[in-house]
């Protein structure tokens, strides 16, 4: 059983569409990170959210941390083929950080 | 800074053989992590070091796996003997325990 559940597991959309992926847990985290992993590479940090209810924007990507700091969402506006990759969330608490299994996004031109 | 360097990038071996994966970390980070990634199980933490000392190896699947960090510039993950179910991508990462982690490009291991 994953500490962090990510959904959907797979998502295939057309260029220009909007999408939201989710990261859920029953645990409270001190912070939550989102990483993107492209084929043949390691994960790369996109953003860290720390405060419950926090919203951060990175160009067309909007990240939200749940009020109770148990969940998070990533919304992509007008997706592009360059957004294709595996999106991983990682929850940190005390001296531990664990990754979800990821959402594999494919954006077709 | 070239980032975390892992070698080899690809390894194909036969069941029963010893496999050694290598990592050259970025300087300036106290923690070094070894992860394994598969489609079925996602990204799993195997072991991490703090200032070259192994702290938590509870993620190491069994005694066939061992990891060392003889100095701040080098770490190895060894599997002996290897089995087909060890096939995965193995990542080395540095950074904080509950903070940003910087990953290497990974080693794709295939055990036949």
């Amino acid at each position: 059983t994953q500490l962090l559940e990510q959904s959907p597991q797979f998502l295939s959309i057309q260029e220009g569409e909007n999408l939201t992926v989710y990261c859920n847990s029953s645990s409270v985290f001190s912070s939550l990170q989102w990483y993107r992993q492209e084929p043949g590479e390691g994960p790369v940090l996109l953003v860290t959210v720390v405060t419950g209810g926090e919203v951060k924007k990175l160009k067309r990507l909007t990240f939200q941390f749940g009020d109770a700091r148990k969940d998070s969402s990533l919304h992509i506006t007008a997706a592009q083929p360059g957004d294709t990759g595996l999106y991983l969330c990682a929850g940190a608490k005390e001296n531990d950080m664990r990754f979800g299994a990821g959402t594999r996004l494919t954006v077709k031109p | 800074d070239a980032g975390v360097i892992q070698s080899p990038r690809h390894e194909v071996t036969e069941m029963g053989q010893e496999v050694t994966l290598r990592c050259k970390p970025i300087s300036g980070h106290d923690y070094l992590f070894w992860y394994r990634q598969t489609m079925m199980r996602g990204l799993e933490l195997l072991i991490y070091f703090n200032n070259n000392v192994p702290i938590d190896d509870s993620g190491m699947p069994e005694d066939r796996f061992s990891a060392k960090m003889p100095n701040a510039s080098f770490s190895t993950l060894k599997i002996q003997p290897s089995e087909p179910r060890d096939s995965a991508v193995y990542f080395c990462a540095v950074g904080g325990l509950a903070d940003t982690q910087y990953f290497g490009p990974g080693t794709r291991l295939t055990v036949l």
Side-chain angles (χ1 to χ4, degrees):
Chain A
T1 303
Q2 292 277 353
L3 179 63
L4 287 155
E5 296 289 340
Q6 290 192 244
S7 62
Q9 187 176 0
F10 298 94
L11 184 59
S12 181
I13 62 171
Q14 292 295 133
E15 182 176 2
E17 293 182 5
N18 301 331
L19 67 114
T20 302
V21 298
Y22 301 92
C23 174
N24 295 302
S25 177
S26 57
S27 297
V28 177
F29 296 108
S30 57
S31 66
L32 193 139
Q33 300 177 358
W34 284 93
Y35 289 77
R36 180 169 64 207
Q37 183 180 10
E38 298 185 14
E41 299 181 7
V44 176
L45 180 71
L46 295 173
V47 77
T48 301
V49 285
V50 178
T51 307
E54 181 177 5
V55 176
K56 281 192 174 180
K57 292 192 175 183
L58 186 64
K59 297 183 180 177
R60 293 176 293 100
L61 279 58
T62 302
F63 304 85
Q64 184 161 8
F65 202 11
D67 291 341
R69 290 185 287 128
K70 292 182 179 181
D71 53 79
S72 182
S73 64
L74 159 58
H75 181 80
I76 301 179
T77 303
Q80 298 177 1
D83 296 327
T84 293
L86 178 67
Y87 289 82
L88 296 160
C89 66
K93 51 179 181 176
E94 297 175 353
N95 293 320
D96 189 35
M97 187 166 80
R98 300 290 165 166
F99 284 81
T103 292
R104 194 167 296 276
L105 172 65
T106 301
V107 182
K108 300 177 182 177
Chain B
D1 195 335
V4 176
I5 298 172
Q6 291 188 246
S7 62
R9 291 296 311 274
H10 302 273
E11 176 81 30
V12 180
T13 190
E14 292 187 345
M15 182 174 63
Q17 296 297 307
E18 177 180 296
V19 175
T20 300
L21 311 181
R22 296 173 176 79
C23 175
K24 178 177 170 53
I26 309 171
S27 61
H29 297 278
D30 292 339
Y31 290 89
L32 182 140
F33 307 84
W34 280 100
Y35 289 90
R36 177 172 69 177
Q37 187 177 43
T38 62
M39 286 292 290
M40 289 294 293
R41 301 174 67 89
L43 195 62
E44 301 174 276
L45 178 64
L46 300 177
I47 184 172
Y48 71 86
F49 295 81
N50 181 20
N51 292 321
N52 312 337
V53 177
I55 301 300
D56 184 355
D57 65 353
S58 59
M60 296 285 259
E62 47 196 274
D63 292 346
R64 297 183 297 105
F65 286 69
S66 62
K68 294 182 179 180
M69 191 168 184
N71 57 64
S73 301
F74 186 63
S75 179
T76 60
L77 178 66
K78 184 178 293 186
I79 309 173
Q80 165 63 16
S82 58
E83 296 183 3
R85 59 192 168 122
D86 301 332
S87 297
V89 182
Y90 291 81
F91 289 101
C92 173
V94 298
L97 194 53
D99 201 351
T100 305
Q101 293 186 10
Y102 302 90
F103 285 77
T107 295
R108 181 174 295 277
L109 173 65
T110 303
V111 183
L112 302 174

